[in-house]
Amino acid sequence: MATGSRPSIGSAGRSSAGPHLSVVRTLPVDVDRVVGAALDMVATDLSGVAINVKRHGIKRVWFTQCWRPDCPLRHNADESYVEGAAVGPGHLYRRKRDLELCRGGSRIVPLDRTRYWVSGRAYDGVPFPRSVPAGTRYLVTLKVPQVVAEGQLPAERTYHRAKTAGPTWIDLPEDDIVFVLGHELRHIEQFRDGLPRSEVDAELAGRDLLYRWVEEGRPGLWT
């Protein structure tokens, strides 16, 4: 596949005939330089591609203890999942009002969940109104955590829908950005070429881009 110029950096609403990169400036790392350097290593056609990167805020969830088997809420958490919050089984939900349905809850605990990864998605088209340049054919969105929990990295991450691809080792938050970018850009290739939308294939492509970026000394990160 022909190599295209990497997306230009600018505001989300600016029109452009070529690829386009929009980055929220309140992120904890210099994402535009990291993504730009990684895109320079991608041997794929990026014409008509818009890449949108934004902050993923701290997630607040709610936990309540509950032992009643007839409770209408799922028992989806226990003390091993919510360390230090409570003892016993219970419910974990993002909306506090959901827990008001619990018939046997004895304690509600708010939790700030900061242990999570960069997430991404690739779209064959623009599925809903967005501020993207005219002529955008494919959209990639990346959500970068506003904070990374102390002690989270280095670590392995494994996508539950692509377990056969094996785990990927992540040392730095920027590594995770490059890895997910490579994964989603592989989906764009699949869309262009009419290939099966394989998550395993995308995981391997993301890992390949990450390892090449690391071998090159993480360009865009240190300079």
Side-chain angles (χ1 to χ4, degrees):
M1 185 173 291
T3 301
S5 59
R6 70 175 177 82
S8 57
I9 300 172
S11 63
R14 182 176 60 81
S15 297
S16 172
H20 181 86
L21 170 62
S22 173
V23 176
V24 175
R25 299 296 178 177
T26 55
L27 293 168
V29 295
D30 198 353
V31 176
D32 54 349
R33 293 198 304 173
V34 170
V35 172
L39 288 171
D40 284 337
M41 305 177 69
V42 174
T44 187
D45 181 6
L46 295 176
S47 60
V49 177
I51 300 175
N52 181 263
V53 187
K54 61 182 179 179
R55 180 178 60 187
H56 204 230
I58 296 174
K59 294 181 179 178
R60 168 151 284 192
V61 295
W62 305 89
F63 173 83
T64 185
Q65 289 176 295
C66 180
W67 286 269
R68 294 188 58 170
D70 61 341
C71 185
L73 297 182
R74 291 189 304 116
H75 289 81
N76 60 351
D78 57 29
E79 68 275 14
S80 65
Y81 188 78
V82 188
E83 183 178 356
V87 177
H91 315 292
L92 190 67
Y93 277 83
R94 293 182 181 178
R95 298 183 302 178
K96 186 178 180 180
R97 63 178 179 270
D98 288 338
L99 297 181
E100 295 174 357
L101 300 173
C102 177
R103 296 172 180 169
S106 60
R107 181 185 178 197
I108 294 179
V109 181
L111 302 168
D112 288 333
R113 304 298 302 278
T114 59
R115 187 180 179 86
Y116 53 95
W117 301 99
V118 174
S119 61
R121 189 163 184 179
Y123 297 91
D124 186 1
V126 182
F128 41 85
R130 278 184 177 271
S131 297
V132 295
T136 297
R137 179 66 182 84
Y138 305 99
L139 175 65
V140 171
T141 61
L142 299 181
K143 292 184 179 180
V144 179
Q146 183 178 1
V147 294
V148 178
E150 183 178 358
Q152 176 176 344
L153 299 176
E156 291 181 341
R157 66 172 291 175
T158 303
Y159 187 23
H160 70 280
R161 295 178 59 190
K163 290 183 178 180
T164 57
T168 300
W169 186 258
I170 305 294
D171 280 304
L172 302 174
E174 295 84 356
D175 292 354
D176 204 28
I177 295 170
V178 174
F179 169 67
V180 176
L181 175 65
H183 177 114
E184 302 306 334
L185 289 178
R186 180 54 180 160
H187 283 315
I188 298 301
E189 287 190 87
Q190 293 168 356
F191 299 154
R192 284 191 189 278
D193 297 342
L195 300 173
R197 302 182 184 186
S198 168
E199 295 295 341
V200 173
D201 181 37
E203 283 286 283
L204 296 176
R207 189 181 306 163
D208 178 66
L209 178 61
L210 168 61
Y211 290 171
R212 285 189 287 118
W213 185 70
V214 172
E215 289 174 358
E216 292 293 327
R218 294 184 171 92
L221 177 57
W222 311 116
T223 57

